[in-house]
Amino acid sequence: MKPVVKNRIHFAVLATDVACFRIIDNQLCVLIGRAPSSSPFAGEWALIGGMVRPEETAEDSVSRLLSDKAGIKNIYTEQLHTFSGINRDPRGRVVSVAYLALTHIDPQDISKARLETKWYPMNSLPKLAYDHDEIMEHAIKHLRFKIHNTNVARYLLPHEFTLTELQNVYEIVIGKGMDKRNFRKKILVSGMLKSMKRTRKKGVMRPAALYVFK
Amino acid sequence: MKPVVKNRIHFAVLATDVACFRIIDNQLCVLIGRAPSSSPFAGEWALIGGMVRPEETAEDSVSRLLSDKAGIKNIYTEQLHTFSGINRDPRGRVVSVAYLALTHIDPQDISKARLETKWYPMNSLPKLAYDHDEIMEHAIKHLRFKIHNTNVARYLLPHEFTLTELQNVYEIVIGKGMDKRNFRKKILVSGMLKSMKRTRKKGVMRPAALYVFK
DNA sequence: TCAAAAGTGTTTTAAATACACCCATGA
DNA sequence: TCATGGGTGTATTTAAAACACTTTTGA
């Protein structure tokens, strides 16, 4: 990965790093893996990432890396920011396009993982390798911003869900409670949900109405 | 710029392209230049852009390109999006980090340009080379979004300005008129301005109060 | 009848919008 | 005194926030 200059043109390695979020046990968790032994941060925790291949766009590469390294397929991704600091990677010029990814617990999307990976709760995240702490900063800020103005919460939920489950997602992401009545009013008035006209029972409680995103 | 693969590692050329805006004669204009004769779109209009050098970050490269090619220094820039399409550039793998830049008419920031450049009004922009039309889409959308929620308008104005001049900037960027009383109320209540407690006369009209951004 | 979560309305406050006239200046 | 842009206030509408009790279910 030594610097490459041909005909006075400078070539860089293009990489992607992805902050992949998922809610587990009412906690916002991030997927991290051990940096491979060949890398300068061998064995340390880092975001899932890797080099972009000749036949891939950055977006493609994120999908492949999540699938290969963590067994996650069919995931929502969004580009965040590109980090082009000269000495980000001690091995040479590596420019990384950072992505946000969101998923939910759904067995069909998780197959075998090829890397030691772990879902770490945001609030007990260890120090990460490279400049990945900075990428995480961007990612969480971006996610918190977008959940207010868009329907990205859908990617953190299964297809069908109750309003309470939806509210939980919002609360977990922004990190504080919301008023139930105001929340339901705003969501329903916004028109982004469709009622399934069915309910779901859970234990001994009153059944809850099911919704899907339009 | 042919594809480079060394030790099974794929190297790409990193480039930047910048959508640089400026208001001239009450029109939002974009800086474009002729693509150099060595390029696949020789002679066509394109955004200002070029390769990132080994000792530069993407941000650095944008500043250098604007300075060298168009003589613009000390400019506000902001990263927009990275375009990594495989065949963006017929010569090989060129990944471009797109930037937004904003400036205003201020002689000290404009020196000699090295390239045939032109400020084109947004609404009569010619077809651009590469995927630069797409970059422009991103840029104008982003600018319109940000002017509502931030004080980026400051970069399109000189240090001191009147409220009417500020309102003109908003109107020109978003493309429609605003109510004068409501505009002034919102801006003054937001607290982003400081009154200079001076006025400026222009022609035969009542003098206008001068403000600066805090 | 109890526990546990589901569900439901009104009042208050703040922000955005709509709207029209007088003021200061130099010619 | 006129033309030109500078400057100002109130009423209405809309959106956000605060706030507490009743309903449904299975054990």
Side-chain angles (χ1 to χ4, degrees), chain B residues 47-60:
Chain B
L47 295 181
I48 303 301
M51 290 184 266
V52 176
R53 294 183 178 164
E55 74 281 6
E56 284 177 336
T57 64
E59 191 93 15
D60 294 337

Side-chain angles (χ1 to χ4, degrees), chain A residues 20-31 100-103 119-125 136 139-141 143-144 147 156 168-175:
Chain A
C20 181
F21 292 97
R22 177 178 168 190
I23 290 173
I24 302 172
D25 293 338
N26 287 322
Q27 288 197 296
L28 185 62
C29 298
V30 190
L31 182 67
L100 169 73
L102 303 175
T103 187
W119 293 93
Y120 246 95
M122 270 300 290
N123 48 33
S124 64
L125 206 60
M136 274 303 307
I140 186 67
K141 250 171 142 164
L143 174 58
R144 287 192 174 132
I147 204 166
L156 293 168
N168 280 340
V169 168
Y170 275 75
E171 291 180 343
I172 290 164
V173 168
I174 67 183

Side-chain angles (χ1 to χ4, degrees), chain B residues 134-200:
Chain B
E134 195 184 343
I135 295 178
M136 274 303 308
E137 282 288 317
H138 270 254
I140 186 67
K141 250 172 144 162
H142 187 81
L143 174 59
R144 287 191 174 135
F145 176 79
K146 282 211 83 170
I147 204 165
H148 284 117
N149 314 311
T150 69
N151 62 3
V152 286
R154 70 192 304 164
Y155 304 109
L156 293 168
L157 283 167
H159 183 63
E160 290 187 353
F161 51 87
T162 68
L163 291 179
T164 300
E165 287 167 347
L166 180 62
Q167 183 172 350
N168 280 339
V169 168
Y170 276 75
E171 290 181 342
I172 291 163
V173 168
I174 67 182
K176 65 176 181 193
M178 306 173 80
D179 179 86
K180 181 159 57 158
R181 281 165 295 185
N182 294 336
F183 178 81
R184 291 160 108 94
K185 197 192 312 170
K186 207 173 76 171
I187 293 290
L188 292 176
V189 163
S190 80
M192 64 187 183
L193 300 189
K194 187 167 68 127
S195 167
M196 293 303 278
K197 316 217 172 195
R198 287 190 290 107
T199 58
R200 184 176 62 200

Side-chain angles (χ1 to χ4, degrees), chain A residues 172-195:
Chain A
I172 290 164
V173 168
I174 67 183
K176 66 176 179 194
M178 307 173 80
D179 179 85
K180 181 159 57 157
R181 281 165 295 185
N182 292 337
F183 179 80
R184 290 159 109 95
K185 197 192 311 170
K186 207 174 77 170
I187 293 290
L188 291 175
V189 164
S190 81
M192 63 187 181
L193 300 190
K194 187 168 67 126
S195 167

